[in-house]
Amino acid sequence: MPEYRRQLDDALGALLARRKSHDRLRRLSNAPPNSIDFSSNGYLSLSTNPVVQKSLLSRLEAEFATSENSNALRRQSILGSGGSRLLDGNSSFAESLEAKIAAFHNAEAALLFTSAFDANTGLLSCVPQPGDVIIYDELIHASVHDGMRMSRATKRIPFSHDSISETHQWRSSNDRGGQGGHQSKSQELCDVLRQLSRDKNVMRCKANVFICVEGLYSMDGDVPLLKEIVEIVDRYLPSGNGYIIVDEAHSAGVFGEKGRGLVCQNGLENRIWARVLGFGKAMGCAGGAILCSPVVREYLINYARSLIYTTSMTFTSLNSIDVVYDYLISGQSEPLRQHLETLICLTYRQLHALCIRSHPGRHILYIEKGPSKSPIIPIFTAHPRSLAEHCQGSGFMVRPIVAPTVPVGGERVRICLHSANTPEQIEGLCGAIEAWVRNQMAMEKTRESERHPKLIMEGEGVFIKQDKSRL
Ligand SMILES: Cc1ncc(COP(=O)(O)O)c(C=O)c1O
């Protein structure tokens, strides 16, 4: 290998070694073949749903059969799309799918992207103009950050997640005990907007403000207080130059009637400027879309580089999404969503009961007490890798989530529930967690008694140290 190449490898290797020394090295891994899935994002288990699978396969077979009978020039390309959407990668099928998606989510228009990541980067990199401001939840997804980095917006301002999250506000108000301890955090979105509303350009509508939140946060499993956010934006930006963007990558399919998403669940379709959909989560496929006005759609077709300069979705991908939407529209997914809700309640019940039985310290195990309809349940622990390994060893696939994916101190194991999970599997998982908790507590007790030999009472009111070496 030439010397210059070795030098680069050495430099990159040093960066990896540093990452490893901080216990932050990322690795690719495969779930053990027979483990029970409490980790993937397929909340409705649609990718393994036999009805959906059959429907996709029969469509592809029908297309193949039709192609067989037509001449070579008119054969449908089943493997690839042939190019960018703007060149040879467009089709009437893609356009009709967009119309179907828009209608389902009560939106004016939809534009497909090859992923929700591309949708976010495309949207944020090209819409905000010089002078504009983007304000965003501090926990917003990496793709929004990347889009913002590429954008020409003049300012990017984070606000605290606690100020918009249902669960965090619930927790704050309970932790406060009426003393107002977290008041300032809850105010942060208001403070940022109040400050901006005094800006000359914002006041005169010469600058726009984009507000970015998610519909369901994938690491915390909580949802934003959308109605309150809309009210706050209207209060501080009454001229209408506050544009809310909701990333529904995780909430589409899960929330709202038939899985229309959080915005529809709240009846806010006309108040949210744009929604980003992800088909790789509850929808069980891959890809993304932006729900917006027809003008914004046309603008994106002209300026969103992640749409223009990439090969568009394949015929097979379009069909996967189409069969999933047909399934949702038909209402067949409703029993799955109801079953998921039952599983969420059962899991919380089991985890809370476990905590009451074992009384683990917060550093061993902490579960949010707040009400939740989210299939993502974070289990906070200072030992996420140990807990995840224990569960995996017991046949349950869960993953540790550590910094930098979450803030230091917010390490956790993330449980993702799916419609295909059974109550017995949840009992099994909670049993494995409880066994780990007891083991952890026992180890801690042993360590504690070794570090601080017990004070034992000898006679009345006299304490002496128990010296283990003499026992
Ligand atoms: C909130 C959010 N937005 C966007 C994405 C990107 O989605 P995709 O996998 O379709 O690129 C993710 C995926 O992890 C996400 O969690």
Side-chain angles (χ1 to χ4, degrees), residues 115-118 120 141 143 214 216 218 247 249-250 278-281 287:
S115 68
F117 196 104
D118 280 354
N120 270 328
H141 190 256
S143 50
E214 292 182 19
L216 169 59
S218 61
D247 179 341
H250 289 270
F279 306 127
K281 323 292 183 197

Side-chain angles (χ1 to χ4, degrees), residues 95-218:
E95 289 175 7
S96 66
L97 176 58
E98 285 173 336
K100 182 186 276 188
I101 292 170
F104 178 71
H105 295 281
N106 293 334
E108 287 179 89
L111 183 64
L112 290 165
F113 284 75
T114 46
S115 68
F117 196 104
D118 280 354
N120 270 328
T121 54
L123 182 68
L124 284 147
S125 61
C126 74
V127 171
Q129 305 292 319
D132 289 349
V133 181
I134 306 172
I135 67 173
Y136 60 95
D137 183 329
E138 61 185 348
L139 299 188
I140 202 84
H141 190 256
S143 50
V144 173
H145 281 278
D146 284 13
M148 288 194 292
R149 258 184 233 140
M150 289 186 271
S151 107
R152 291 174 299 158
T154 301
K155 279 192 213 152
R156 286 157 229 148
I157 309 170
F159 58 84
S160 86
H161 179 65
D162 293 15
S163 63
I164 58 147
S165 155
E166 207 169 67
T167 309
H168 284 254
Q169 291 207 348
W170 180 92
R171 196 207 306 161
S172 299
S173 62
N174 278 275
D175 285 355
R176 263 202 305 265
Q179 289 161 34
H182 290 256
Q183 196 58 34
S184 58
K185 273 218 140 184
S186 306
Q187 284 295 322
E188 225 181 281
L189 176 63
C190 294
D191 293 346
V192 169
L193 283 168
R194 187 182 303 113
Q195 199 80 30
L196 279 174
S197 67
R198 294 180 188 138
D199 179 294
K200 270 201 323 282
N201 289 330
V202 172
M203 219 187 303
R204 292 178 193 154
C205 279
K206 287 193 174 151
N208 295 314
V209 180
F210 295 89
I211 301 101
C212 301
V213 296
E214 292 182 19
L216 169 59
Y217 286 81
S218 61

Side-chain angles (χ1 to χ4, degrees), residues 227 254-257 260-268 337:
K227 282 189 175 147
V254 175
F255 295 140
E257 194 220 350
R260 289 184 160 87
L262 189 74
V263 171
C264 288
Q265 180 174 291
N266 283 280
L268 293 171
R337 289 197 322 118

Side-chain angles (χ1 to χ4, degrees), residues 133-354:
V133 181
I134 306 172
I135 67 173
Y136 60 95
D137 183 329
E138 61 185 348
L139 299 188
I140 202 84
H141 190 256
S143 50
V144 173
H145 281 278
D146 284 13
M148 288 194 292
R149 258 184 233 140
M150 289 186 271
S151 107
R152 291 174 299 158
T154 301
K155 279 192 213 152
R156 286 157 229 148
I157 309 170
F159 58 84
S160 86
H161 179 65
D162 293 15
S163 63
I164 58 147
S165 155
E166 207 169 67
T167 309
H168 284 254
Q169 291 207 348
W170 180 92
R171 196 207 306 161
S172 299
S173 62
N174 278 275
D175 285 355
R176 263 202 305 265
Q179 289 161 34
H182 290 256
Q183 196 58 34
S184 58
K185 273 218 140 184
S186 306
Q187 284 295 322
E188 225 181 281
L189 176 63
C190 294
D191 293 346
V192 169
L193 283 168
R194 187 182 303 113
Q195 199 80 30
L196 279 174
S197 67
R198 294 180 188 138
D199 179 294
K200 270 201 323 282
N201 289 330
V202 172
M203 219 187 303
R204 292 178 193 154
C205 279
K206 287 193 174 151
N208 295 314
V209 180
F210 295 89
I211 301 101
C212 301
V213 296
E214 292 182 19
L216 169 59
Y217 286 81
S218 61
M219 294 298 145
D220 288 59
D222 57 349
V223 295
L225 294 155
L226 267 193
K227 282 189 175 147
E228 278 82 340
I229 294 171
V230 168
E231 274 166 27
I232 292 169
V233 171
D234 283 354
R235 192 185 323 145
Y236 291 105
L237 303 170
S239 310
N241 53 337
Y243 297 93
I244 303 172
I245 300 172
V246 182
D247 179 341
E248 295 234 45
H250 289 270
S251 47
V254 175
F255 295 140
E257 194 220 350
K258 294 187 178 176
R260 289 184 160 87
L262 189 74
V263 171
C264 288
Q265 180 174 291
N266 283 280
L268 293 171
E269 295 93 317
N270 296 328
R271 310 294 296 277
I272 302 299
W273 176 72
R275 286 172 266 171
V276 172
L277 301 174
F279 306 127
K281 323 292 183 197
M283 310 288 197
C285 314
I290 295 177
L291 301 175
C292 53
S293 74
V295 172
V296 173
R297 181 176 182 274
E298 194 180 344
Y299 180 86
L300 293 170
I301 290 171
N302 279 274
Y303 292 99
R305 295 167 70 85
S306 57
L307 174 91
I308 301 166
Y309 297 106
T310 192
T311 301
S312 65
M313 268 188 202
T314 65
F315 180 74
T316 308
S317 294
L318 294 174
N319 265 294
S320 312
I321 298 165
D322 200 44
V323 294
V324 164
Y325 269 90
D326 282 349
Y327 191 80
L328 299 183
I329 292 164
S330 72
Q332 291 175 84
S333 59
E334 285 304 85
L336 303 182
R337 289 197 322 118
Q338 278 150 19
H339 179 59
L340 188 60
E341 276 192 27
T342 310
L343 296 179
I344 295 165
C345 291
L346 174 67
T347 310
Y348 269 105
R349 259 206 318 277
Q350 297 248 339
L351 289 171
H352 289 152
L354 175 171

Side-chain angles (χ1 to χ4, degrees), residues 435-471:
W436 177 85
V437 165
R438 288 187 188 281
N439 193 26
Q440 208 64 22
M441 288 170 74
M443 277 175 1
E444 242 178 44
K445 215 169 171 183
T446 311
R447 274 199 301 269
E448 194 61 22
S449 66
E450 280 168 3
R451 236 181 293 145
H452 305 289
K454 248 189 200 160
L455 287 172
I456 56 164
M457 194 192 277
E458 245 202 19
E460 224 171 74
V462 182
F463 291 87
I464 62 160
K465 271 190 179 168
Q466 188 183 12
D467 186 346
K468 269 191 146 183
S469 63
R470 276 193 258 129
L471 288 177

